């Protein structure tokens, strides 16, 4: 293999974003600075934000310290939620508003799409169609949301070292890796990867429209194919649940489709990669609770990640 080390960061809302930063800080504490050492960092949804943050300039210690700051006051009218839809710019999957102003309608529609699907492409196309159908009502908030995304990134420039942002083409349903050659700004790419269909407007890039990369897979670990070593940080899975990521309520994940973390890791290993997967442990999950969208749990989630990163056996 010509490529040495890939870091793959999965989705997971506000808690997941903070946990990812915490794990990376803990790994750095034990001598593995993944932000500096990885030949490529791939991110999906909340992981896309974390990938851009890790490559954006500040040290991992500084990024971790930032997670411990009190959450900013909501900027929405009357003290309500800041504009930006259900997937906030720091990877936070906020409750948002769906059809009729009820976020439950978004998840009901996603469950229906998943139930009717017969392939991964069916799921992605269905979710893309849902996004395009919802765009007219969500488009007025798109500019404000993009500004929010940009404000959460330490740099507005694509980093020199490789970052790949996973998003789904809303029309074709295909998973696409957006990078510095895609014709979009870094903020636009991250906004695309965190754009929940039905809750946030799809993002236009080079004549196409894109939605959350988690529509295809919660982690997209398969992007590490061809690397000698792959570390996957997966906020939404546990070892005994590796074939059933807990994301996008009701979206089907099938081993045969290659969309489960278990199937993706197995394929990487069969291709010769040495793969390490880190999941939230029981203590971290207790902190996460049922609502991964709450910004108030970010400091504690990051501390749990830091603890796990310091203790992780990642080999050398």
């Amino acid at each position: 293999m010509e490529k040495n080390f890939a870091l793959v960061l999965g989705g997971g809302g506000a808690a997941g974003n903070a946990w990812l930063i915490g794990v990376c800080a803990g790994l750095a504490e034990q001598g593995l600075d993944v932000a500096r050492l990885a030949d490529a960092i791939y991110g999906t949804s909340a992981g896309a934000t974390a990938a851009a943050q890790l490559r954006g300039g500040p040290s991992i210690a500084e990024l971790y310290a930032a997670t411990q700051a009190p959450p900013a006051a909501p900027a929405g009218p009357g003290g309500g939620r800041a504009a930006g839809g259900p997937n906030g710019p720091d990877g936070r999957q906020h409750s948002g508003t769906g059809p009729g102003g009820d976020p439950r309608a978004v998840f009901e529609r996603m469950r229906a799409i998943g139930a009717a699907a017969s392939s991964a492409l069916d799921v992605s196309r269905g979710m893309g169609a849902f996004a395009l159908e919802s765009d007219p009502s969500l488009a007025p908030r798109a500019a404000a949301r993009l500004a929010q995304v940009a404000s959460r990134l330490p740099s507005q420039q694509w980093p020199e070292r490789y970052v790949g942002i996973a998003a789904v083409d809303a029309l074709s349903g295909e998973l696409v890796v957006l990078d510095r050659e895609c014709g979009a700004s870094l903020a636009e790419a991250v906004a695309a990867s965190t754009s929940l269909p039905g809750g946030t407007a799809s993002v236009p890039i080079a004549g196409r429209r894109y939605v959350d990369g988690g529509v295809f897979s919660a982690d997209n670990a398969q992007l590490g194919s061809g690397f000698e070593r792959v570390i996957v940080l997966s906020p939404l899975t546990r070892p005994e649940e590796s074939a059933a990521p807990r994301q996008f309520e009701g979206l089907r994940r099938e081993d045969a489709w290659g969309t489960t973390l278990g199937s993706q890791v197995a394929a990487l290993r069969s291709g010769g990669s040495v793969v390490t997967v880190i999941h939230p442990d029981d203590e971290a999950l207790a902190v996460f609770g049922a609502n991964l969208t709450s910004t108030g749990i970010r400091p504690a989630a990051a501390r749990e990640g830091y603890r796990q990163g310091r203790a992780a056996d990642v080999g050398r």
Side-chain angles (χ1 to χ4, degrees):
M1 293 185 177
E2 297 180 358
K3 297 177 286 187
N4 183 39
F5 171 31
L7 176 67
V8 180
L9 306 175
N17 176 265
W19 180 85
L20 290 167
I21 296 298
V23 173
C24 291
L27 291 173
E29 187 74 14
Q30 62 160 297
L32 183 61
D33 187 343
V34 291
R36 181 176 60 86
L37 296 175
D39 296 294
I41 301 179
Y42 296 97
T44 297
S45 198
T49 306
Q53 291 168 334
L54 288 168
R55 291 291 213 205
S59 70
I60 185 59
E62 291 171 320
L63 289 172
Y64 177 68
T67 68
Q68 300 306 293
R81 178 179 53 84
N87 277 56
D90 55 354
R92 304 170 184 180
Q93 286 187 339
H94 298 288
S95 57
T97 58
D102 183 356
R104 292 174 297 182
V106 172
F107 298 119
E108 288 172 2
R109 180 69 175 273
M110 289 194 293
R111 283 190 287 270
I113 291 169
S118 59
S119 69
L121 195 58
D122 276 352
V123 174
S124 297
R125 282 177 176 165
M127 291 295 288
F130 179 30
L132 295 175
E133 170 191 320
S134 305
D135 273 351
S137 64
L138 297 170
R141 291 183 286 173
R145 178 174 184 270
L146 181 60
Q148 273 197 321
V149 170
S151 74
R152 299 289 182 174
L153 304 181
S155 172
Q156 301 304 306
Q157 304 301 316
W158 281 95
E160 291 186 9
R161 303 203 67 194
Y162 187 82
V163 169
I165 305 298
V168 165
D169 185 308
L171 186 61
S172 71
E174 296 177 343
L175 181 72
V176 176
V177 177
L178 303 171
D179 58 23
R180 65 185 307 154
E181 305 299 325
C182 73
S185 69
L186 180 60
E188 287 171 327
V190 173
S193 187
T194 58
S195 177
L196 182 71
T200 305
S202 64
V203 177
I205 295 175
R208 307 291 290 183
R209 301 198 74 90
Y210 294 90
V211 297
D212 201 311
V215 164
F216 181 82
S217 166
D219 302 290
N220 288 303
Q222 78 283 358
L223 297 179
S225 177
F227 286 85
E228 180 179 345
R229 184 181 186 189
V230 182
I231 294 180
V232 182
L233 306 185
S234 178
L236 287 166
T237 62
R238 299 179 67 182
E240 66 272 22
E241 297 172 347
S242 59
R246 296 174 290 114
Q247 186 177 27
F248 290 106
E249 297 184 13
L251 276 195
R252 287 172 56 200
R253 310 295 192 186
E254 302 283 351
D255 283 340
W257 298 353
T259 54
T260 66
L261 180 59
S263 64
Q264 292 167 358
V265 169
L268 289 174
R269 288 173 175 158
S270 69
S273 297
V274 176
V275 185
T276 300
V277 180
I278 301 177
H279 312 260
D281 59 16
D282 288 340
E283 291 81 1
L285 290 172
V287 167
F288 288 7
N291 182 12
L292 297 178
T293 73
S294 171
T295 59
I297 61 176
R298 283 176 57 79
R303 291 193 296 271
E304 293 300 317
Y306 178 73
R307 173 185 57 77
Q308 287 193 255
R310 289 190 67 185
D313 181 7
V314 293
R316 288 291 187 273

